Amino acid sequence: MTGPLSHLTVIELAGIGPGPFACMLLADLGAKVIRIDRLPTGKPAAGGLEDLMRNDGVVDRGRQSVAVNMKDPRGVEAVLRLVAGADILIEGFRPGVAEKLGLGPAPCHARNPKLVYGRMTGWGQTGPLAQAAGHDINYVALSGALHLMGPADRPPIPPLNLVGDYGGGGMLMVVGVLAAYAQALRSGLGQVVDAAMTDGASLLMAAQYGLAAKGFWHDARGTNFLDGAAHFYGTYECADGRHVSVGAIEPQFYEKLLKICGIDDPQFRRQWDEGEWPALRGKLAAVFATKTRDAWCALLEGSDACFAPVLSMAEAPLHPHNAERGTFVTQDGVTQPAPAPRFDRTPASLPHKAPRVGQHTAAVFEAAGFPSPEIAQLIEAGVVFDAGLHA
């Protein structure tokens, strides 16, 4: 692997959601990520959420997979020996589960004082809800963010799983473990990073809380300039049923939008009069309904009108801008986002495809200094599983 983090070794205790996404980002940037998987059962996949999320071939890319029976003390000992040579560990269990496995912060730091121990949860390690089950939508709801998403006359609309799982969870974890790693380089001591999706989703609301403090944000859905109420910031249906987006907030960009659209109605001069927004949105909708999406692209795309077509997942990789930048790549027939951000001196390469469970077991333990006879004994005893022996 290449990339700015190619000197890092990360241990991932397998899970779903934001933890794997954080590890994907680290792997994308060159880190060696060793995922500790459970032993395969040999039974057909149950088809549940974990199987669905763990076999997408994208979020699981870039790993090495080691399959270990962590209910066996010998398996836990084997993992701890891997931890001794790692820089970062990331787990996403409920609080206390890693401790019950014997892989909590205390035994890991006993083996490796410099280890950064990342804990990814929805509610956090402490608080009244710490032990409760939940998903992205619940964590975003508690942060105040979900309340503001969607039209004023409808219930809040879930923002996929982007605000809690990935933005407020996985990316927060990456920031946290890299900050702790930078500190460990100076102090020689690792620490525990408590990354909670409720904290992260709340953090993403910083601008809204700041605007509210100035009296410039209403704590009501569909009434603000960034939530679809303003005519100059939203999406519109075109003559062909497809959609475009406009975000002409600043006056000079708003003027450009009006000019290119051929709008000279004086009512549009009252851009920031909130009482005019419903009527202006209706008028602008009527304008965009007169042409197809591609016709509007020909007029507006690339201008300072703050415009872009609303692309489907199938269309996005084909757009000329995304194609020229290589924003998407195709690997083994799977179209997926490319690693980001970009680095001019230590560029990241496309990580290898998602591994089979236990694909690298023997190789990882050998690289960690386990004698070959010991590896063979662990495999024979069913403590670890190597997929290469069962191909």
Side-chain angles (χ1 to χ4, degrees), residues 139-149 156 159 163 201-202 204-205 209:
Y139 314 135
V140 176
L142 204 72
S143 74
L146 185 60
H147 168 69
L148 294 172
M149 295 180 181
V163 176
S202 299
L204 293 174
M205 289 288 292
Y209 277 96

Side-chain angles (χ1 to χ4, degrees), residues 189-216:
L189 295 174
Q191 59 187 302
V192 174
V193 178
D194 176 1
M197 285 177 263
T198 49
D199 295 345
S202 299
L203 192 61
L204 293 174
M205 289 288 292
Q208 281 66 43
Y209 277 96
L211 289 169
K214 296 178 179 179
F216 202 67

Side-chain angles (χ1 to χ4, degrees), residues 17 57 76-77 104 109 136 141 172 217 227 256 273 276 303 315 319 332 334 348:
V76 173
E77 173 61 23
H109 282 142
D136 177 285
L172 183 73
W217 190 270
D227 62 8
K256 180 68 70 173
D273 186 337
E276 301 290 339
S303 74
E315 291 175 313
H319 189 277
D332 298 312
V334 178

Side-chain angles (χ1 to χ4, degrees), residues 20-38:
F21 180 67
C23 290
M24 184 202 81
L25 296 177
L26 294 170
D28 281 359
L29 300 184
K32 177 182 178 181
V33 179
I34 300 170
R35 189 180 69 207
I36 309 299
D37 280 307
R38 293 191 295 270

Side-chain angles (χ1 to χ4, degrees), residues 11-384:
I11 302 294
E12 174 189 4
L13 302 186
I16 62 173
F21 180 67
C23 290
M24 184 202 81
L25 296 177
L26 294 170
D28 281 359
L29 300 184
K32 177 182 178 181
V33 179
I34 300 170
R35 189 180 69 207
I36 309 299
D37 280 307
R38 293 191 295 270
L39 295 184
T41 63
K43 300 177 182 178
L49 178 62
E50 182 167 355
D51 181 64
L52 179 67
M53 298 295 288
R54 282 287 310 283
N55 291 282
D56 63 3
V58 179
V59 176
D60 283 341
R61 70 192 185 192
R63 317 289 210 281
Q64 292 181 318
S65 172
V66 173
V68 180
N69 180 3
M70 289 189 287
K71 294 182 179 179
D72 189 312
R74 294 170 293 178
V76 173
E77 173 61 23
V79 174
L80 287 172
R81 286 165 67 180
L82 294 180
V83 167
D87 302 293
I88 296 168
L89 180 147
I90 293 177
E91 60 95 353
F93 303 128
R94 289 199 205 190
V97 171
E99 282 82 354
K100 290 180 181 178
L101 291 172
L103 292 170
C108 287
H109 282 142
R111 298 297 180 97
N112 182 353
K114 293 183 179 180
L115 181 74
V116 172
Y117 194 107
R119 315 200 79 166
M120 184 76 257
T121 60
W123 308 112
Q125 297 297 311
T126 60
L129 297 175
Q131 290 295 333
H135 275 301
D136 177 285
I137 191 171
N138 310 123
Y139 314 135
V140 176
L142 204 72
S143 74
L146 185 60
H147 168 69
L148 294 172
M149 295 180 181
D153 59 348
R154 293 176 57 192
I157 296 177
L160 303 181
N161 67 329
L162 303 180
V163 176
D165 270 358
Y166 289 170
M171 287 192 173
L172 183 73
M173 172 62 80
V174 170
V175 171
V177 296
L178 292 182
Y181 175 74
Q183 204 283 327
L185 292 178
R186 295 175 61 87
S187 67
L189 295 174
Q191 59 187 302
V192 174
V193 178
D194 176 1
M197 285 177 263
T198 49
D199 295 345
S202 299
L203 192 61
L204 293 174
M205 289 288 292
Q208 281 66 43
Y209 277 96
L211 289 169
K214 296 178 179 179
F216 202 67
W217 190 270
H218 310 297
D219 193 12
R221 189 165 50 260
T223 61
N224 298 283
F225 75 100
L226 292 178
D227 62 8
H231 61 291
F232 52 82
Y233 197 92
T235 58
Y236 291 93
E237 186 173 350
C238 302
D240 55 358
R242 295 191 287 182
H243 296 82
V244 296
S245 69
V246 294
I249 299 174
E250 294 84 352
Q252 68 271 27
F253 302 147
Y254 183 68
E255 285 294 327
K256 180 68 70 173
L257 175 68
L258 297 181
K259 181 178 181 180
I260 296 177
C261 289
I263 296 173
D264 57 8
D265 183 338
Q267 187 178 15
F268 278 89
R269 298 301 165 190
R270 301 165 71 176
Q271 179 186 358
W272 286 94
D273 186 337
E274 295 180 9
E276 301 290 339
W277 285 356
L280 292 173
R281 173 166 278 282
K283 288 185 176 182
L284 195 53
V287 171
F288 278 113
T290 63
K291 302 181 189 296
T292 65
R293 188 189 71 180
D294 290 347
W296 284 115
C297 286
L299 287 172
L300 288 161
E301 198 165 18
S303 74
D304 279 351
C306 299
F307 166 94
V310 177
L311 302 179
S312 69
M313 288 177 62
E315 291 175 313
L318 305 177
H319 189 277
H321 183 81
N322 292 335
E324 182 175 322
R325 285 184 57 80
T327 301
F328 293 87
V329 295
T330 299
Q331 181 172 260
D332 298 312
V334 178
T335 299
Q336 55 196 282
R342 318 294 175 90
F343 299 85
D344 69 345
R345 189 171 55 81
T346 57
S349 60
L350 179 65
H352 52 74
K353 66 179 182 180
R356 292 173 292 143
V357 171
Q359 181 176 338
H360 306 96
T361 299
V364 167
F365 283 127
E366 183 178 355
F370 285 60
S372 295
E374 182 181 6
I375 297 173
Q377 289 172 2
L378 291 171
I379 293 173
E380 179 66 25
V383 177
V384 302

